[in-house]
Amino acid sequence: MAKLDGKAALITGAAAGLGEGIATAYAKYGAKMVLVDLDPRVEETAQRLRAEYGSEIITVVANVADRAQMDEAARKGAEAFGAIDIACCNAGVCRLAPFEEMDDATRDFHIDVNIKGVWNTCKAVIPYMLKQGGGSIVIASSVTGDIVADAGEAAYAMTKAALVGLTKCLAVEYAGRNIRVNCSQLGYARTPMVEKMAVESNPENPEAAIAAIAAGVPMGRLAKPIEVGELFAFLGSDESSYLTGSQIVIDGGSTLPETMSIGTN
Ligand SMILES: NC(=O)c1ccc[n+]([C@@H]2O[C@H](COP(=O)([O-])OP(=O)(O)OC[C@H]3O[C@@H](n4cnc5c(N)ncnc54)[C@H](O)[C@@H]3O)[C@@H](O)[C@H]2O)c1
């Protein structure tokens, strides 16, 4: 029996990048899924996973920033599968700009998608989890904001750090009702988001920006989306039954070095 057999999971941002990697891991471990994305290509992710794993999947085109749309996505999932056991709050955005040039609309865009989007997803799924006696929520925070930051990430870093607070509060609030809430703190994975950040950082040579990220990671590379998916599958499953309110750093060691110059290798 696979660790997610019989579980129904709602995954946001599943059309591309990490969300697709998370959905792939969930398919591999037997989950039924509601895949949510603003981008209608989320149906292509679903078709691939149905073909490869025989997964039961419905897709919903919705904006996580819109509470009514997320309520409807959760309702459709519960109607299709009879429950929502797991929510992976993965959808997020990142736009780089120097702080004095970052306008309020850009700030609010990050707040709407990264904070309110996760808030809305939790609001939408928790009533079903309470009704069925439990569940697991996994939130995509980041090492950015809570642990480290690069210049130009003020809005992104602020919103990702906020998700650690939301994780901890929901974890303690629902611990007695069998809903666990944990967050991932990823370093860098190569996804459309990071490719765009590389263009914003070095328009002439974005590949150099990606190579420089890898060079700063002790493991010498970025994460693969499926590696993040494996963490989300563990946190969603009963294998992590005593974990709640945890922040799990998954970064190939990128936040470890104290200097780039001292040491014996
Ligand atoms: N890639 C990384 O290195 C990295 C590192 C740390 C944290 N994260 C976090 O992981 C999550 C996924 O990142 P990614 O790199 O896969 O991003 P991505 O931009 O490559 O993919 C994000 C997906 O979310 C969807 N999406 C965006 N806004 C949405 C909205 N309002 N409603 C519904 N769907 C929406 C997009 O259409 C896309 O399919 C984000 O929350 C990001 O902050 C990523």
Side-chain angles (χ1 to χ4, degrees):
M1 178 159 156
K3 64 180 151 203
L4 296 174
D5 271 347
K7 303 267 193 202
L10 184 148
I11 302 171
T12 66
L18 298 177
E20 190 180 359
I22 294 165
T24 302
Y26 272 65
K28 176 177 139 190
Y29 293 118
K32 299 173 257 190
M33 286 176 272
V34 191
L35 300 185
V36 179
D37 206 292
L38 255 187
D39 186 337
R41 281 177 297 182
V42 68
E43 185 51 34
E44 290 171 24
T45 304
Q47 279 171 12
R48 179 177 69 75
L49 297 177
R50 288 184 198 110
E52 273 179 41
Y53 298 94
S55 312
E56 280 182 64
I57 303 176
I58 64 165
T59 58
V60 181
V61 174
N63 183 349
V64 293
D66 185 312
R67 174 73 196 278
Q69 290 184 25
M70 289 314 295
D71 284 348
E72 181 61 7
R75 193 196 62 74
K76 283 184 176 158
E79 185 181 78
F81 304 128
I84 305 278
D85 301 297
I86 303 166
C88 297
C89 307
N90 163 74
V93 291
C94 180
R95 304 278 184 275
L96 300 182
F99 184 63
E100 71 274 21
E101 289 167 27
M102 193 177 284
D103 56 28
D104 291 358
T106 303
R107 177 202 61 200
D108 291 347
F109 175 59
H110 286 80
I111 292 172
D112 286 347
V113 179
N114 294 358
I115 299 181
K116 293 184 189 169
V118 174
W119 178 282
N120 291 338
T121 307
C122 293
K123 282 273 192 184
V125 298
I126 282 175
Y128 296 100
M129 292 178 171
L130 288 173
K131 215 159 90 184
Q132 74 215 18
S136 176
I137 296 174
V138 192
I139 293 175
S141 175
S142 176
V143 294
T144 307
D146 186 51
I147 304 175
V148 293
D150 285 321
E153 293 180 339
Y156 182 74
M158 173 176 75
T159 56
K160 288 290 155 179
L163 295 180
V164 176
L166 181 63
T167 300
K168 287 179 187 289
C169 182
L170 294 184
V172 80
E173 194 164 331
Y174 288 100
R177 286 174 281 177
N178 203 29
I179 300 175
R180 298 182 299 107
V181 187
N182 293 287
C183 69
S184 65
Q185 295 190 295
L186 172 63
Y188 275 101
R190 186 161 189 154
T191 64
M193 173 188 281
V194 168
E195 285 174 354
K196 197 160 162 291
M197 289 167 79
V199 172
E200 287 169 337
S201 303
N202 186 346
E204 267 78 59
N205 191 355
E207 280 308 317
I210 302 264
I213 297 173
V217 179
M219 286 182 68
R221 64 177 178 84
L222 283 68
K224 299 173 195 151
I226 190 66
E227 292 174 312
V228 179
E230 292 286 351
L231 174 63
F232 272 68
F234 171 66
L235 291 174
S237 78
D238 296 338
E239 287 183 0
S240 59
S241 53
Y242 200 56
L243 276 177
T244 198
S246 296
Q247 318 162 228
I248 312 284
V249 173
I250 171 168
D251 71 348
S254 72
T255 54
L256 290 175
E258 189 170 349
T259 71
M260 298 305 279
S261 58
I262 299 299
T264 54
N265 62 359

